[in-house]
Amino acid sequence: QLGEVELQICFDSVAKILYVTVLRARVLTTLREDGDTRPDPFIKVYLLPGRSVENQRRTRHFSRTSEPEWNQTMVYPNLAQADLAKRHLEVTAWNYAQDKPNEFLGEVVLNLSDPMCLNEDPRWYQLT
């Protein structure tokens, strides 16, 4: 089990803004030299297609917790409703490392053509 992330996603069709709120995560793990399994987690969100800096958002990282609570909202402006059907959200969990590359903890990719994704209800997604 790689853990889960809770997201709240909504689209304002009048303002043409996609809001992605990363609420929290649970059961995130890593393995440290001292045996501690709690990571220093953060989340990256990409609006695909287009893996560019403009399409990336990220949360702050927390120290040594398997159950972080971010309540952090990412904003993607200037999106037409018709474009959403062709877009995906890639949500990845990472273990922050200051002196080496960040460790990948898991991901979920959401198809934004699915109306269940955009109904503003908080939902848990299993990381793979």
Side-chain angles (χ1 to χ4, degrees), residues 7-10 23 116-125:
L7 305 172
Q8 186 175 14
I9 305 167
C10 67
L23 296 167
M116 289 298 292
C117 278
L118 302 172
N119 68 0
E120 298 186 41
D121 292 334
R123 291 184 61 196
W124 285 100
Y125 296 94

Side-chain angles (χ1 to χ4, degrees), residues 23-121:
L23 296 167
R24 56 194 168 149
R26 61 187 178 198
V27 200
L28 298 179
T29 59
T30 189
L31 189 55
R32 299 177 184 273
E33 291 175 11
D34 63 6
D36 191 347
T37 60
R38 297 172 301 167
D40 298 335
F42 70 93
I43 299 290
K44 272 193 218 177
V45 179
Y46 277 102
L47 181 61
L48 302 176
R51 190 177 304 282
S52 65
V53 174
E54 295 82 33
N55 288 342
Q56 179 193 311
R57 309 285 187 272
R58 67 177 275 177
T59 65
R60 64 193 177 279
H61 80 272
F62 285 103
S63 293
R64 298 206 182 218
T65 180
S66 294
E67 301 196 0
E69 292 197 22
W70 290 283
N71 291 314
Q72 198 168 331
T73 300
M74 286 109 180
V75 177
Y76 291 95
N78 306 316
L79 281 176
Q81 178 106 35
D83 290 341
L84 278 185
K86 305 173 209 157
R87 309 300 287 264
H88 290 77
L89 269 184
E90 178 189 73
V91 180
T92 53
W94 297 85
N95 179 32
Y96 175 78
Q98 191 169 356
D99 53 351
K100 59 186 177 198
N102 295 321
E103 175 194 1
F104 177 76
L105 299 176
E107 73 175 349
V108 62
V109 178
L110 304 174
N111 185 341
L112 294 179
S113 68
D114 179 358
M116 289 298 292
C117 278
L118 302 172
N119 68 0
E120 298 186 41
D121 292 334

